[in-house]
Amino acid sequence: GAGVSQSPSNKVTEKGKDVELRCDPISGHTALYWYRQSLGQGLEFLIYFQGNSAPDKSGLPSDRFSAERTGGSVSTLTIQRTQQEDSAVYLCASSLGRTLGAEAFFGQGTRLTVV
Amino acid sequence: AQSVTQLDSQVPVFEEAPVELRCNYSSSVSVYLFWYVQYPNQGLQLLLKYLSGSTLVKGINGFEAEFNKSQTSFHLRKPSVHISDTAEYFCAVSDGGSQGNLIFGKGTKLSVKP
């Protein structure tokens, strides 16, 4: 596709359930980022994939959060045993990675509501 | 580790007034700096970036930013704002090296009033 695609656009889940959020990056982009956007918290970095390198997971808030990137393309962010504080907009972005100062292109996000 | 501080969470201004949105960063290596904008109910898009060379960079919609290495700042400015500039603005830093991660500030909400 022409841009970064995220699905679903909205997700309502019950506390304690697991959720999977999907990101399709722009074709050819080697870098992929996940962020969480909460009111008043700005863009909180979660995880960063760059090519075949080990991902930078330093932003994941707890072991309930995990992400994988299959074949260097599609990525899935999984949140296990969701809590109400997980409610936020989850944004995915991709870029050309090691290209000097490459611009990151963002998807529209998945709005997660935990009830 | 890199970090970004946006000193103002909200900036209200009147239409046609000048505005400056402040951004300071910390990094132990050379950095690349970015400003992104998020209009209401829209995704983030790049406004401008600094990679090297001239410290004054110009972006879309009449915005510009100046890189100041000694003050570790990258403030965003516009001489005369419009109602349509109402949005949230995010400053970001990347070391562009083997890490290459992109770290954002908490954002500044610019509200332009008539």
Side-chain angles (χ1 to χ4, degrees):
Chain A
V4 177
S5 177
Q6 291 187 247
S7 60
S9 55
N10 282 283
K11 176 73 176 178
V12 180
T13 189
E14 292 180 351
K15 178 181 173 181
K17 299 284 189 184
D18 297 353
V19 295
E20 284 189 353
L21 312 180
R22 177 186 168 103
C23 173
D24 280 279
I26 293 172
S27 177
H29 280 192
T30 60
L32 187 145
Y33 314 78
W34 281 100
Y35 297 90
R36 179 167 68 177
Q37 187 174 22
S38 308
L39 195 62
Q41 297 300 312
L43 281 163
E44 178 187 2
F45 163 70
L46 298 178
I47 188 168
Y48 165 61
F49 296 90
Q50 169 56 280
N52 295 321
S53 303
D56 176 355
K57 303 179 182 180
S58 61
L60 295 177
S62 76
D63 59 8
R64 296 187 296 106
F65 288 72
S66 63
E68 62 178 21
R69 189 177 185 191
T70 54
S73 181
V74 172
S75 178
T76 302
L77 177 69
T78 302
I79 309 173
Q80 296 178 310
R81 304 181 303 281
T82 51
Q83 304 294 314
Q84 287 185 330
E85 61 263 28
D86 299 334
S87 296
V89 176
Y90 290 82
L91 294 171
C92 176
S94 71
S95 78
L96 286 170
R98 294 187 186 278
T99 300
L100 185 68
E103 175 183 353
F105 292 84
F106 282 80
Q108 292 296 309
T110 294
R111 182 176 297 277
L112 176 66
T113 304
V114 182
V115 297
Chain B
Q2 303 150 161
S3 67
V4 177
T5 302
Q6 291 185 244
L7 298 167
D8 306 298
S9 59
Q10 297 189 52
V11 173
V13 294
F14 287 105
E15 194 172 19
E16 298 183 5
V19 70
E20 178 180 83
L21 306 183
R22 296 180 291 170
C23 172
N24 287 85
Y25 68 91
S26 65
S27 175
S28 59
V29 297
S30 297
V31 296
Y32 305 130
L33 294 157
F34 307 79
W35 276 98
Y36 281 79
V37 59
Q38 187 175 33
Y39 296 104
N41 301 314
Q42 294 188 29
L44 278 89
Q45 57 182 284
L46 182 68
L47 198 57
L48 50 78
K49 63 182 178 182
Y50 170 79
L51 304 182
S52 65
S54 173
T55 57
L56 183 65
V57 292
K58 295 186 184 297
I60 60 173
N61 301 337
F63 283 92
E64 62 182 32
E66 185 159 19
F67 170 60
N68 188 318
K69 188 175 182 179
S70 63
Q71 296 186 5
T72 61
S73 69
F74 190 55
H75 300 333
L76 181 71
R77 302 186 184 101
K78 186 169 182 178
S80 176
V81 294
H82 301 288
I83 299 287
S84 60
D85 293 322
T86 294
E88 190 159 17
Y89 293 80
F90 294 92
C91 182
V93 61
S94 169
D95 68 14
S98 59
Q99 296 301 315
N101 200 351
L102 189 61
I103 301 298
F104 284 83
K106 291 187 180 298
T108 298
K109 290 185 178 177
L110 175 65
S111 299
V112 182
K113 304 177 187 303

